[in-house]
């Protein structure tokens, strides 16, 4: 199996693993005692957003030409990340549920995800590759920032899924959250 096919397979599997983690976190928040409606809302919005994003990229973006797909890919994910963050806040406001520490973490993580996706869009289409239709086709073409962005986005989602599993309070546990994020980043960079 050549390397690009293996990378596509691993990224597809990682997205499905993150989706399953969000769904399980949603179900646990609803059915365990005491219920955590705030965590259930966050995990539910994240799982629906991740599934809808995968569907849109698989079925709508594929209708565009390859050059247009490559051009818009990261910009659409950036907008989708921001929409998820604000949808989590909006659902909390609409239902009247107080924000938990996990909601703040969702908002920060998805804002960081949107920022990283925007940086990848700028890096790929404006600065580094000057609208090349086939960037990073070979490992010689890729560079360090591209890898950091790619791993960072997936590490954000994996970290968020694991943080939503936590049943305790996150307030004041910044060192443990940072170590968890570093572990997610390290595992994905292997």
């Amino acid at each position: 199996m050549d390397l690009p096919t293996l990378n596509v397979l691993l990224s597809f599997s990682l997205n499905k693993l993150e989706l399953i983690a969000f769904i399980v976190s949603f179900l646990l928040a609803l059915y365990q005692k005491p219920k955590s409606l705030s965590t259930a809302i966050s995990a539910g919005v994240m799982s629906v957003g991740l599934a809808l994003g995968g569907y849109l990229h698989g079925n709508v973006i594929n209708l565009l030409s390859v050059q247009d797909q490559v051009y818009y890919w990261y910009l659409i994910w950036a907008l989708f990340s921001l929409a998820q963050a604000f949808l989590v806040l909006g659902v909390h406001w609409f239902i009247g549920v107080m924000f938990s520490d996990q909601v703040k973490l969702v908002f920060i993580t998805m804002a960081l995800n949107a920022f990283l996706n925007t940086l990848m869009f700028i890096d790929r289409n404006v600065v580094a590759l000057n609208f090349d239709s086939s960037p990073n086709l070979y490992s010689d073409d890729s560079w360090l920032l591209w890898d950091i962005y790619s791993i960072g986005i997936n590490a954000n989602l994996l970290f968020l899924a694991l943080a939503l599993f936590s049943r305790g309070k996150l307030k004041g546990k910044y060192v443990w959250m940072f170590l968890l994020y570093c572990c997610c980043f390290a595992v994905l960079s292997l």
Side-chain angles (χ1 to χ4, degrees):
M1 189 180 293
D2 60 340
L3 189 58
T5 305
L6 183 62
N7 283 340
V8 168
L9 180 65
L10 288 175
S11 69
F12 181 75
S13 299
L14 183 62
N15 285 341
K16 295 303 174 199
L17 177 67
E18 290 164 349
L19 177 61
I20 291 168
F22 283 123
I23 292 171
V24 170
S25 179
F26 171 75
L27 293 173
L28 285 175
L30 279 183
Y31 293 112
Q32 282 186 342
K33 302 289 182 201
K35 285 185 181 183
S36 176
L37 196 54
S38 180
T39 302
I41 292 170
S42 300
V45 168
M46 292 303 299
S47 61
V48 168
L50 199 57
L52 186 61
Y55 177 78
L56 289 175
H57 272 89
N59 296 319
V60 176
I61 301 297
N62 282 337
L63 299 175
L64 299 173
S65 69
V66 173
Q67 286 80 13
D68 289 339
Q69 287 179 21
V70 171
Y71 182 77
Y72 291 113
W73 185 269
Y74 295 107
L75 189 59
I76 290 172
W77 273 114
L79 294 173
F80 216 74
S81 295
L82 281 178
Q84 282 178 297
F86 284 110
L87 189 60
V88 166
L89 293 176
V91 170
H92 274 81
W93 176 78
F94 183 73
I95 294 176
V97 176
M98 291 298 293
F99 298 141
S100 66
D101 294 332
Q102 284 89 347
V103 174
K104 296 172 189 170
L105 192 62
V106 167
F107 193 75
I108 291 168
T109 305
M110 294 314 291
L112 181 62
N113 238 15
F115 179 68
L116 287 174
N117 275 309
T118 303
L119 285 178
M120 286 179 73
F121 172 79
I122 292 169
D123 181 32
R124 193 239 168 262
N125 294 311
V126 178
V127 178
L129 300 174
N130 296 322
F131 301 100
D132 184 13
S133 62
S134 57
N136 298 327
L137 192 57
Y138 304 103
S139 61
D140 299 338
D141 294 341
S142 64
W143 55 307
L144 179 63
L145 288 178
W146 190 264
D147 294 334
I148 290 173
Y149 297 150
S150 299
I151 294 169
I153 288 169
N154 287 316
N156 284 345
L157 289 175
L158 185 61
F159 166 72
L160 186 58
L162 292 174
L164 288 176
F165 275 118
S166 69
R167 298 293 294 162
K169 299 282 184 194
L170 296 177
K171 192 172 212 140
K173 297 183 181 178
Y174 302 116
V175 172
W176 290 109
M177 288 191 301
F178 179 73
L179 288 175
L180 177 62
Y181 184 81
C182 289
C183 289
C184 291
F185 198 88
V187 164
L188 292 176
S189 63
L190 295 177

